[in-house]
Amino acid sequence: MTDTPEYFPNRLDRAEQIILGLAERQANAQVELDELRQEMRELTTNVDRVLARSAILDDVLLELRDSHEQHQRNFEQHQRNFEEHQRNFEEHQRTTNAALQSLESILLQLIRNNS
């Protein structure tokens, strides 16, 4: 039965159909593969862009942190300077008041002595 002449053309036709089907599937797979490659390139480009921006933002963040820390140190130094000036002012005020009291005592004594 397999050696009959009618069987061979049917087998050949069937083999040709299978091969054509496989060729079509391969062509479709190649198109899909090309599309996936393009999408992968676009994704890679986007990832590269995001990573570059992330690196820039990391640098900016570090600079901001350093700047904030420096401002904090400056503020603390200004706060200490203010407190020292406040203490100096209070001490100056005490010594001035003490000197005024001494002068007042001297003046009262001079007034009594002249009376």
Side-chain angles (χ1 to χ4, degrees):
M1 178 171 191
T2 57
D3 293 336
T4 61
E6 303 90 36
Y7 180 72
F8 288 116
N10 287 337
R11 260 182 95 184
L12 289 175
D13 289 343
R14 180 71 181 136
E16 184 180 9
Q17 288 174 349
I18 291 172
I19 292 171
L20 289 175
L22 288 173
E24 185 178 340
R25 286 174 54 196
Q26 184 181 10
N28 290 339
Q30 187 62 46
V31 168
E32 289 179 11
L33 184 60
D34 291 343
E35 289 173 356
L36 285 174
R37 280 189 184 127
Q38 182 58 32
E39 288 176 14
M40 185 60 103
R41 281 188 204 105
E42 291 172 6
L43 180 61
T44 302
T45 300
N46 288 341
V47 167
D48 289 345
R49 236 181 306 137
V50 167
L51 291 176
R53 288 178 182 171
S54 177
I56 291 170
L57 289 175
D58 287 346
D59 290 345
V60 169
L61 182 62
L62 288 174
E63 287 180 29
L64 285 173
R65 186 177 297 136
D66 291 346
S67 176
H68 173 72
E69 290 171 357
Q70 183 61 43
H71 285 297
Q72 185 65 31
R73 286 190 296 272
N74 288 345
F75 173 78
E76 291 167 359
Q77 181 62 44
H78 288 302
Q79 187 71 27
R80 287 189 296 273
N81 289 346
F82 172 77
E83 290 168 358
E84 183 180 346
H85 286 300
Q86 186 70 27
R87 285 190 301 274
N88 289 343
F89 174 77
E90 290 169 357
E91 179 62 27
H92 180 263
Q93 198 170 24
R94 280 192 295 279
T95 57
T96 300
N97 286 341
L100 285 175
Q101 285 176 353
S102 292
L103 286 173
E104 184 179 5
S105 294
I106 292 170
L107 183 59
L108 285 174
Q109 235 177 6
L110 286 173
I111 290 174
R112 283 190 212 131
N113 288 345
N114 284 339
S115 306

